[in-house]
Amino acid sequence: MKEYCFGIDVGGTTVKMGLFKTDGQLVDKWEIPTRTEDGGKAILPDIAAYALAKLVEKNISRDEVAGIGIGVPGPINADGVVPHTANLGWGYKEVTKELSELTGVICRGGNDANVAALGEMWKGAAAGHKNGVMVTLGTGVGGGIIIDGQIIVGVNGAGGEIGHIHVDDTIPGLCGCGNQGCLEQVASANGIVRLARWMRETDPKETVLEPESMTAKDIWDAVKDGDAFACGVAERFGKYMGTALANIASTVDPEVFVIGGGMSKAGPVVLDYIKKYYVKYTYKACRDAEFVLATLGNDAGIFGSAKLVL
Amino acid sequence: MKEYCFGIDVGGTTVKMGLFKTDGQLVDKWEIPTRTEDGGKAILPDIAAYALAKLVEKNISRDEVAGIGIGVPGPINADGVVPHTANLGWGYKEVTKELSELTGVICRGGNDANVAALGEMWKGAAAGHKNGVMVTLGTGVGGGIIIDGQIIVGVNGAGGEIGHIHVDDTIPGLCGCGNQGCLEQVASANGIVRLARWMRETDPKETVLEPESMTAKDIWDAVKDGDAFACGVAERFGKYMGTALANIASTVDPEVFVIGGGMSKAGPVVLDYIKKYYVKYTYKACRDAEFVLATLGNDAGIFGSAKLVL
């Protein structure tokens, strides 16, 4: 009887690991450092060693393990192969095949933003739904699309690359992806600061914000205090996000949008500004989609990775 | 041995019917009038009668029929229920249940734009692909998203409602859906004429086009003749379409885009203008998506409907 599984979330500095019951109960979680030196060659052996050690510690036999799911920061195809992952040091790597050989257990892989979405759909903010879209507003803007409980991976692993939806020709500068006018340029934690500085050039309203040193948190705090300039920034952010999510709705028509990442800690006010424009621009049939804040935080990745093997 | 199936495409004036072998070979096709009077109560009995008569004519027993697929002009949920279909006269109707009771054969239903997409993916322009997006540029702009060979229906049946992607705040007038700024307002056969008239207000370039009487065909003919004003309209059309499809790529990352509908008869030039802007605005990983013209024409619906039951 296979009662257990592992969910692994590989980041650039730490690997988060979780041991789960197959019903989704988290038995134990821990972190290990991500050793990126020498082309990241120790990463998978480290994961295997700590997973097998945990089984010994808990007196669980390998035959009781249904599988190991692993989320990685970059594209990974349906066969568990990553072409290249800059921030782990990996070149071409057959991730799930190698990890399976190291552990003797079936492995499946996914992109980190996609597995976080799957985690929130399984045990987080959108539990009980089978069709949802998660947007992660962190350093960048990530995303994951879940339809009928399955991740939309995409032919090039670019399914759910919501941050690179084109929203405005006039945004100054280039996105990290090389394009100009991406959602990420104005809606990530860095992006909303960039947006505020750009708007400041032509909007002289009095404000508590210091253009040089302000953070995304400062902007949302000022919004909550009714600062007129900050509220203008939030409106523009809401319009970009609301339009992008409305257009996603006209494509995949989900039940629920989950908003996560560092910026979601500003709370329901973030949803309010997004929903205002979502409702304006979305196709009529999609107007009642739910908007919720993510609840699993940094654990979304281990939950979603575990779900990959169930 | 179930060797046959039917594909039915219900339109506002005619019902197209096809008898297929389950390998996709079209055995026979024909049309019957759509009798919309009295709440459209004769439509399904007519379809059943003509399907059963065809079996008698071809000396095929009902046991040899794998099923009947039916495409309808409007939303239809996973249980084959339409809430309301204005142009057929139907209110709430359990389409597949009723048709199954009338014929004694399993039935499945889909939206007409979605089943057309499935048809082109199965036996048309995108045969051999499993992940594709079809856009129909006709009186309106319709669409269908196929992932892993399955239609993305959406929670409200609004999956693939590509025509209602918001593209521009400044488009004059309202879309038929009630919103302002939809792709359909500038990219359908009517839409490109509307776009040309709008651009004519501020663009005095000499042109062969007559603003009052021009058609979509006139515009594309003028583009092919190098008419400067018409080429400007095609650029703007290409930018709207290319951006919308780039944003769909960042969501579902398909292998192929199929462009169909009356306006696609203008030929590869339509693809050229779309691709120019698609490549500019899409996420780098998605740049090599194929663009093809639909090949099944009015038969896409019967092919796709047949595929629903296979």
Side-chain angles (χ1 to χ4, degrees):
Chain A
M1 184 53 191
K2 296 191 185 300
E3 265 191 274
Y4 298 91
C5 62
F6 287 98
I8 315 289
D9 181 13
V10 184
T13 52
T14 60
V15 177
K16 297 179 187 68
M17 301 184 63
L19 173 65
F20 292 83
K21 293 268 204 163
T22 50
D23 65 3
Q25 187 194 325
L26 179 60
V27 177
D28 198 2
K29 65 171 179 170
W30 66 100
E31 293 186 9
I32 62 173
T34 309
R35 294 201 285 153
T36 55
E37 61 271 22
D38 293 335
K41 70 179 184 186
I43 297 173
L44 294 178
D46 283 355
I47 290 170
Y50 279 89
L52 296 175
K54 186 60 67 177
L55 294 182
V56 173
E57 177 195 323
K58 299 284 184 189
N59 199 24
I60 297 168
S61 121
R62 204 160 52 180
D63 296 341
E64 295 174 83
V65 179
I68 300 176
I70 180 167
V72 298
I76 178 165
N77 73 15
D79 300 322
V81 175
V82 301
H84 178 77
T85 308
N87 54 355
L88 299 182
W90 288 348
Y92 174 92
K93 199 160 193 74
E94 297 179 341
V95 175
T96 55
K97 182 163 172 280
E98 283 190 36
L99 188 56
S100 186
E101 283 167 3
L102 288 162
T103 57
V105 173
I106 290 168
C107 297
R108 290 194 198 285
N111 165 268
D112 56 359
N114 286 343
V115 298
L118 191 60
E120 290 287 349
M121 297 288 294
W122 185 37
K123 292 291 173 184
H129 293 290
K130 297 195 74 179
N131 296 281
V133 172
M134 179 167 176
V135 188
T136 305
L137 303 174
T139 314
V141 173
I145 317 276
I146 310 295
I147 301 295
D148 282 336
Q150 302 292 317
I151 295 169
I152 301 285
V153 176
V155 177
N156 307 289
E161 282 289 355
I162 294 172
H164 302 290
I165 285 182
H166 180 81
V167 292
D168 185 349
D169 282 342
T170 67
I171 297 170
L174 293 181
C175 181
C177 77
N179 285 353
Q180 191 246 337
C182 291
L183 180 64
E184 180 163 296
Q185 288 183 274
V186 287
S188 65
N190 293 331
I192 198 169
V193 171
R194 186 181 299 115
L195 174 63
R197 285 191 187 131
W198 175 35
M199 290 177 67
R200 195 65 197 155
E201 291 169 13
T202 53
D203 182 345
K205 273 191 212 80
E206 218 176 299
T207 176
V208 300
L209 295 169
E210 298 283 354
E212 294 308 308
S213 60
M214 64 184 162
T215 63
K217 182 175 185 304
D218 296 336
I219 293 170
W220 288 107
D221 285 346
V223 169
K224 290 174 197 169
D225 288 341
D227 182 283
F229 173 75
C231 289
V233 174
E235 292 281 345
R236 188 88 157 261
F237 160 87
K239 184 173 178 191
Y240 287 131
M241 281 288 294
T243 309
L245 300 190
N247 291 349
I248 290 172
S250 297
T251 306
V252 298
D253 184 15
E255 297 166 276
V256 58
F257 289 93
V258 181
I259 310 295
M263 205 152 72
S264 70
K265 290 180 186 152
V269 65
V270 177
L271 302 187
D272 294 341
Y273 280 97
I274 297 172
K275 275 166 70 174
K276 175 176 174 184
Y277 290 93
Y278 174 82
V279 168
K280 178 173 179 184
Y281 290 116
T282 200
Y283 187 55
K284 204 178 290 179
C286 307
R287 271 185 204 155
D288 294 332
E290 277 182 64
F291 281 75
V292 295
L293 292 167
T295 57
L296 296 177
N298 289 333
D299 288 345
I302 57 173
F303 274 90
S305 297
K307 185 72 172 76
L308 285 177
V309 295
L310 297 177
Chain B
M1 182 56 189
K2 296 193 185 296
E3 267 191 88
Y4 296 92
C5 63
F6 286 98
I8 314 289
D9 182 12
V10 183
T13 51
T14 60
V15 178
K16 296 180 187 67
M17 302 184 63
L19 174 65
F20 292 83
K21 292 267 204 162
T22 50
D23 65 3
Q25 188 195 325
L26 179 60
V27 177
D28 197 3
K29 65 171 181 171
W30 66 99
E31 293 186 8
I32 61 173
T34 309
R35 293 200 285 154
T36 55
E37 61 270 23
D38 293 335
K41 71 179 183 187
I43 297 173
L44 294 178
D46 283 353
I47 291 170
Y50 279 89
L52 296 175
K54 185 60 68 177
L55 294 182
V56 172
E57 176 195 325
K58 300 282 184 189
N59 198 23
I60 297 167
S61 116
R62 206 161 50 182
D63 294 342
E64 294 174 85
V65 178
I68 300 177
I70 179 167
V72 298
I76 177 164
N77 74 14
D79 300 321
V81 175
V82 301
H84 179 75
T85 308
N87 54 355
L88 299 182
W90 288 347
Y92 174 92
K93 196 158 196 75
E94 299 180 340
V95 175
T96 56
K97 182 163 172 280
E98 282 188 36
L99 188 57
S100 186
E101 284 167 2
L102 288 162
T103 58
V105 173
I106 290 169
C107 296
R108 288 193 199 286
N111 166 269
D112 55 358
N114 287 344
V115 298
L118 191 59
E120 290 286 348
M121 298 289 293
W122 186 37
K123 293 291 173 184
H129 292 291
K130 296 195 74 179
N131 296 279
V133 172
M134 180 167 175
V135 188
T136 305
L137 304 174
T139 314
V141 173
I145 317 277
I146 310 295
I147 301 295
D148 283 336
Q150 302 292 318
I151 294 169
I152 302 285
V153 176
V155 177
N156 307 290
E161 283 288 355
I162 293 171
H164 303 288
I165 286 183
H166 180 82
V167 293
D168 185 350
D169 282 342
T170 66
I171 296 170
L174 293 181
C175 181
C177 78
N179 285 352
Q180 192 246 337
C182 291
L183 180 63
E184 180 163 294
Q185 288 182 275
V186 287
S188 65
N190 294 332
I192 199 168
V193 171
R194 187 181 297 114
L195 173 62
R197 286 190 187 133
W198 176 34
M199 289 177 68
R200 196 66 199 154
E201 292 170 13
T202 55
D203 182 344
K205 272 192 213 81
E206 218 176 298
T207 177
V208 300
L209 295 170
E210 299 283 355
E212 293 308 310
S213 61
M214 64 186 163
T215 64
K217 182 174 185 306
D218 295 336
I219 293 171
W220 288 106
D221 284 346
V223 169
K224 290 174 196 169
D225 289 340
D227 182 283
F229 172 75
C231 289
V233 173
E235 291 282 345
R236 187 87 157 262
F237 160 87
K239 185 174 177 190
Y240 287 131
M241 280 288 295
T243 309
L245 299 190
N247 291 348
I248 291 172
S250 297
T251 306
V252 298
D253 184 15
E255 299 165 275
V256 59
F257 288 94
V258 181
I259 310 295
M263 205 153 71
S264 70
K265 291 182 186 152
V269 65
V270 178
L271 302 187
D272 294 342
Y273 280 98
I274 297 172
K275 275 166 72 175
K276 175 176 175 184
Y277 289 93
Y278 174 83
V279 168
K280 177 173 181 184
Y281 290 116
T282 199
Y283 187 55
K284 205 177 290 178
C286 307
R287 271 184 204 156
D288 294 332
E290 277 182 63
F291 281 75
V292 295
L293 293 168
T295 58
L296 296 178
N298 289 332
D299 288 346
I302 57 172
F303 274 90
S305 297
K307 185 72 173 78
L308 285 176
V309 295
L310 297 177

